[in-house]
């Protein structure tokens, strides 16, 4: 499959770029640490319901910061170069895959740092990591797509927040509910249904990104 | 004229929904009774307050207590004080509660030949205890109800808590239905634009989105007013209320997005893409997420939906035309906005 090979090449390229310009990755890691620390200093004692919401708020802002640069960091000419070499679908997929992996890493890191500093109330680790996994994919798809849209407009950085935050709410709301189950804050017998809902939202967004991106990149 | 029939139809349906929805009276209902609890075997005198009743003019007033399908009790000494107030005596028998129960609620039935019958479920709580054992009553339950009258006039159902606000069903709910239909058509036009790159498709999508936002805001306002008088607050942190507000944010963002481009082709193309994305997230937002949480809205969080007894034939007669009317009016509004956009493009943005 030609497209899979292209996706693999592009994902490797993304990792390589990230690794070479260590300041970006270092910056985002430091961002996670300082946010966690600020939140901890603000609350000190964090009850499980608050922990749950704070974790996802931190995760949301980390995602915005980590993902939104996916299109703005590369200038128009270089993107044109990619599009002339590769299938545009491969470009969006590689960015989504790279961002999903990055967000999973960052969220797991946030979890450990937050867990060490503010205590770890998670009881059902498996469910919580499933939430991190699905949530990272959902946020990666939404914000990658939104950054592709906003990058075409004038005030890109404002637009990302305006366009992205309302669209992320369905994902965030179901994430908070699933992880509340994992924390034992609420007990819901229908948690599988919530996970399926989140999975369905992720799948729909991914399908949309696949269908709509070909209309987006060409100028 | 032939081309405008749908506009006339829309206006007529809205006029009909307003006139019929606001003028048809509510059915007779019982507001409350006092006292609302009694002991088995007790003789009680209850004060009954009704709504939209004509006790003064009626000749054959009957009052019944219904404990279950075979225990009925006729009220005696009915004294009418006004059209909506009266008192009646009940001579409660010493036995009759379902086996081993110490307390059971009875339904009050009020009937007359003008208003038909009205019910208040759970009107009187009847208890049995050692005090009630001391009361030796000779009264007995009757095993069937007397002949009741049926109200043949055109009325809307009376519901406690809702009262007259039940009429908002004809405006609040159709506004949301119409908004969804309009956003859906707008998405179709966005898809058409991406396929054809014809400006008129994008203008149509833009105009329809404007109307959809207007309807969404009106839906939020009518909902907040309804919530104030039934749930007790303008905004009660109900999940459906919140998600609707988020839906409005998504579409307001569409407006901001449209204004942040320099050349038209790019604006049309990218906002079409966003419009399709936005409508797709609207579906989980309004129909999936509210089901995961408890909601005060009918049909969510285990609440019964409007339907069955609540949405009777008289209400359907106004409700469905109102949906069609609001949709047609919305398309008309969008049509005006569309023509404005087209003129603006031809005469102002020409150079």
């Amino acid at each position: 499959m030609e497209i899979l090979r292209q996706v693999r090449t592009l994902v490797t390229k993304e990792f390589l770029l990230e690794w070479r310009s260590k300041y970006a990755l270092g910056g985002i890691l430091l961002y996670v640490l300082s946010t966690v620390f600020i939140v901890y200093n603000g609350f000190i004692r964090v009850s499980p319901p608050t922990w749950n919401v704070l974790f996802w708020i931190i995760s949301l802002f980390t995602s915005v910061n980590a993902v939104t640069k996916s299109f703005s960091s590369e200038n128009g000419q270089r993107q044109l170069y990619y599009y002339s070499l590769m299938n545009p679908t491969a470009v969006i997929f590689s960015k989504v895959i790279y961002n999903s992996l990055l967000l999973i890493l960052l969220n797991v890191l946030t979890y450990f740092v937050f867990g060490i500093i503010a205590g770890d109330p998670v009881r059902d680790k498996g469910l919580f990591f499933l939430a991190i996994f699905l949530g990272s994919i959902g946020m990666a798809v939404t914000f990658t797509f939104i950054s592709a849209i906003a990058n075409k407009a004038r005030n890109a950085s404002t637009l990302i927040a305006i366009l992205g935050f309302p669209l992320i709410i369905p994902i965030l709301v179901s994430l908070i509910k699933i992880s509340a189950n994992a924390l034992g804050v609420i007990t819901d017998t229908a948690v599988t249904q919530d996970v399926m809902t989140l999975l369905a939202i992720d799948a729909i967004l991914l399908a949309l990104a696949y269908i709509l991106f070909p209309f987006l990149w060409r100028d | 004229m032939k081309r405008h029939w749908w506009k006339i139809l829309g206006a007529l349906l809205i006029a009909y929904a307003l006139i019929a929805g606001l003028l048809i009276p509510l059915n007779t209902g019982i507001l409350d009774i006092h006292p609302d609890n009694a002991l088995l075997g007790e003789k009680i005198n209850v004060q009954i307050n009704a709504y939209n009743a004509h006790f003064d003019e009626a000749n054959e007033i009957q009052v019944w207590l219904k404990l279950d399908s075979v225990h009925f009790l006729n009220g005696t000494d009915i004294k009418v004080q006004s059209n909506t107030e009266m008192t009646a005596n009940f001579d409660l028998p010493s036995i009759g509660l379902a086996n081993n129960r110490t307390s059971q609620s009875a339904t009050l039935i009020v009937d007359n030949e003008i208003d038909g019958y009205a019910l208040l479920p759970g009107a009187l709580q009847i208890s049995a205890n050692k005090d009630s054992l001391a009361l030796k009553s000779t009264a007995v339950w009757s095993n069937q109800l007397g002949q009741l009258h049926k109200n043949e006039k055109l009325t809307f159902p009376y519901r406690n808590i809702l009262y007259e606000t039940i009429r908002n069903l004809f405006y609040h709910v159709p506004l949301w239905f119409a908004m969804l239909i309009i956003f859906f058509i707008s998405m179709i036009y966005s898809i058409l634009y991406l396929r054809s790159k014809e400006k008129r498709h994008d203008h149509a999508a833009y105009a329809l989105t404007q109307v959809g936002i207007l309807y969404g805001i009106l839906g939020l306002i009518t909902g907040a007013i309804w919530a104030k008088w039934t749930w007790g607050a303008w905004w009660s942190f109900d999940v459906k209320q919140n998600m609707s507000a988020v839906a409005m944010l998504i579409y307001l963002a569409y407006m901001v997005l449209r204004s942040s481009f320099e050349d038209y082709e790019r604006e049309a193309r990218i906002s079409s893409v966003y419009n399709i994305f936005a409508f797709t997230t609207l579906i989980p937002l309004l129909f999936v997420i509210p089901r995961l949480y408890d909601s005060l809205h009918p049909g969510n969080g285990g609440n019964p939906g409007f339907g069955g007894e609540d949405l009777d034939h008289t209400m359907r007669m106004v409700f469905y035309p109102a949906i069609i009317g609001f949709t047609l009016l919305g398309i008309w509004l969008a049509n005006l906005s569309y023509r404005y956009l087209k003129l603006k493009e031809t005469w102002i943005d020409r150079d």
Side-chain angles (χ1 to χ4, degrees):
Chain A
M1 284 285 276
E2 180 62 17
I3 195 160
L4 285 178
R5 201 186 51 79
Q6 291 183 352
V7 169
R8 207 173 55 223
T9 318
L10 283 167
V11 172
T12 323
K13 179 223 74 177
E14 294 279 348
F15 272 107
L16 217 59
L17 271 183
E18 194 76 71
W19 187 248
R20 285 194 187 147
S21 57
K22 289 191 191 61
Y23 69 94
L25 194 63
I28 206 79
L29 289 179
L30 216 53
Y31 177 87
V32 170
L33 290 178
S34 39
T35 317
V36 167
F37 210 71
I38 286 173
V39 166
Y40 170 69
N41 269 288
F43 284 83
I44 301 175
R45 276 187 208 294
V46 190
S47 65
T50 326
W51 191 98
N52 184 23
V53 177
L54 281 177
F55 176 82
W56 289 110
I57 300 277
I58 296 173
S59 157
L60 173 68
F61 280 91
T62 316
S63 313
V64 176
N65 274 300
V67 176
T68 49
K69 63 171 176 46
S70 28
F71 282 90
S72 56
S73 64
E74 292 170 319
N75 61 28
Q77 282 89 351
R78 203 201 288 183
Q79 280 176 21
L80 197 62
Y81 175 62
Y82 293 147
Y83 296 134
S84 62
L85 282 178
M86 308 275 187
N87 188 335
T89 316
V91 174
I92 185 84
F93 272 166
S94 67
K95 288 206 192 281
V96 167
I97 291 169
Y98 169 73
N99 284 328
S100 304
L101 293 174
L102 180 67
L103 287 189
I104 291 170
L105 178 78
L106 286 174
N107 282 331
V108 170
L109 183 80
T110 311
Y111 167 58
F112 281 119
V113 177
F114 203 35
I116 289 166
I117 295 181
D120 175 11
V122 180
R123 291 192 200 158
D124 188 344
K125 296 269 194 289
L127 187 61
F128 191 75
F129 280 111
L130 184 66
I132 286 186
F133 179 73
L134 291 176
S136 302
I137 293 176
M139 288 189 198
V141 179
T142 312
F143 286 125
T144 310
F145 196 71
I146 291 302
S147 86
I149 288 180
N151 195 36
K152 303 279 179 195
R154 272 176 301 187
N155 43 357
S157 53
T158 328
L159 267 182
I160 284 171
I162 296 174
L163 301 178
F165 283 175
L167 287 175
I168 206 75
I169 283 178
I171 295 177
L172 206 62
V173 163
S174 32
L175 271 178
I176 289 178
K177 196 178 175 205
I178 294 171
S179 74
N181 270 292
L183 263 67
V185 176
I186 55 169
T187 30
D188 187 355
T189 44
V191 70
T192 350
Q193 206 184 330
D194 299 349
V195 173
M196 292 316 274
T197 309
L198 188 56
L199 198 64
I201 296 177
D202 280 4
I204 291 170
L205 293 179
L206 201 62
L208 273 180
Y210 169 72
I211 296 167
L212 294 176
F213 190 71
F215 297 102
L216 207 56
W217 67 271
R218 198 191 305 268
D219 268 320
Chain B
M1 214 58 207
K2 264 185 182 161
R3 281 170 54 227
H4 301 296
W5 65 270
W6 56 276
K7 297 179 188 170
I8 297 165
L9 179 67
L12 284 177
L13 286 176
I14 298 242
Y16 164 72
L18 283 171
I19 294 169
L22 293 175
L23 291 187
I24 292 178
L26 238 58
N27 206 348
T28 306
I30 308 164
L31 287 170
D32 52 25
I33 72 166
H34 185 79
D36 57 6
N37 58 72
L39 290 176
L40 213 52
E42 204 178 358
K43 279 191 176 62
I44 51 167
N45 177 263
V46 291
Q47 168 78 40
I48 298 167
N49 295 316
Y51 187 78
N52 264 4
H54 300 86
F55 295 153
D56 257 349
E57 298 147 38
N59 298 318
E60 311 163 22
I61 301 179
Q62 308 177 60
V63 185
W64 290 85
L65 269 182
K66 177 190 173 197
L67 195 61
D68 54 42
S69 54
V70 287
H71 287 86
F72 299 96
L73 188 66
N74 198 355
T76 51
D77 283 335
I78 297 167
K79 288 196 182 67
V80 173
Q81 292 144 341
S82 75
N83 255 339
T84 57
E85 291 166 307
M86 63 173 171
T87 60
N89 283 342
F90 284 105
D91 198 355
L92 295 170
S94 314
I95 49 162
L97 297 192
N99 40 346
N100 299 331
R101 291 183 64 172
T102 54
S103 178
Q104 201 172 343
S105 67
T107 302
L108 184 79
I109 303 169
V110 173
D111 176 80
N112 67 55
E113 81 278 9
I114 301 177
D115 306 315
Y117 66 89
L119 307 172
L120 180 64
L124 188 71
Q125 191 71 28
I126 304 173
S127 349
N129 57 23
K130 63 180 189 311
D131 295 334
S132 73
L133 287 175
L135 299 165
K136 294 273 182 267
S137 166
T138 51
V140 284
W141 296 96
S142 144
N143 61 4
Q144 61 184 8
L145 208 55
Q147 188 65 43
L148 295 183
H149 298 90
K150 201 163 164 24
N151 190 351
E152 300 294 343
K153 285 180 302 232
L154 210 54
T155 54
F156 292 139
Y158 167 91
R159 286 283 174 274
N160 280 329
I161 303 177
L162 284 178
Y163 308 116
E164 296 280 355
T165 70
I166 201 167
R167 298 171 196 281
N168 201 2
L169 184 80
F170 309 131
Y171 313 111
H172 172 67
V173 185
L175 275 169
W176 286 112
F177 272 65
M179 180 201 79
L180 277 173
I181 296 170
I182 285 166
F183 278 150
F184 180 72
I185 305 174
S186 164
M187 184 196 68
I188 299 289
Y189 272 112
S190 284
I191 296 173
L192 282 178
Y193 175 78
L194 288 180
R195 295 178 72 99
S196 69
K197 297 281 150 66
E198 279 182 47
K199 279 183 182 176
R200 61 192 173 94
H201 289 147
D202 178 62
H203 287 328
Y206 187 22
L208 283 160
T209 311
Q210 288 174 328
V211 177
I213 292 175
L214 175 72
Y215 273 23
I217 291 170
L218 288 177
L220 279 180
I221 294 172
T222 50
I225 295 171
W226 205 359
K228 174 69 183 165
W229 301 109
T230 52
W231 303 343
W234 301 106
W235 205 272
S236 352
F237 213 76
D238 178 70
V239 62
K240 215 164 188 178
Q241 266 183 328
N242 291 339
M243 292 303 130
S244 311
V246 171
M248 284 303 101
L249 285 182
I250 291 179
Y251 276 98
L252 287 172
Y254 171 84
M255 291 308 194
V256 176
L257 181 69
R258 283 212 76 114
S259 60
S260 43
F261 291 95
E262 268 138 23
D263 66 307
Y264 174 76
E265 196 276 331
R266 198 187 255 205
E267 171 190 332
R269 182 164 46 87
I270 290 170
S271 40
S272 296
V273 168
Y274 179 79
N275 192 17
I276 299 168
F277 206 71
F279 186 81
T280 320
T281 33
L282 201 65
I283 303 303
L285 211 53
L286 296 184
F287 298 105
V288 182
I289 301 290
R291 294 191 184 277
L292 301 183
Y293 282 83
D294 291 330
S295 169
L296 297 162
H297 267 88
N300 293 109
N303 292 339
F306 264 106
E309 260 187 88
D310 296 327
L311 194 60
D312 72 349
H313 286 304
T314 329
M315 295 196 75
R316 281 178 216 275
M317 245 167 52
V318 187
F319 180 62
Y320 295 135
I323 295 176
I324 303 170
F326 275 114
T327 310
L328 289 177
L329 184 77
I331 294 172
W332 188 1
L333 283 170
N335 186 265
L336 291 174
S337 174
Y338 167 75
R339 279 151 65 191
Y340 162 74
L341 286 170
K342 215 166 70 176
L343 281 177
K344 184 164 163 273
E345 199 220 326
T346 331
W347 295 102
I348 302 171
D349 304 338
R350 190 159 44 173
D351 24 49

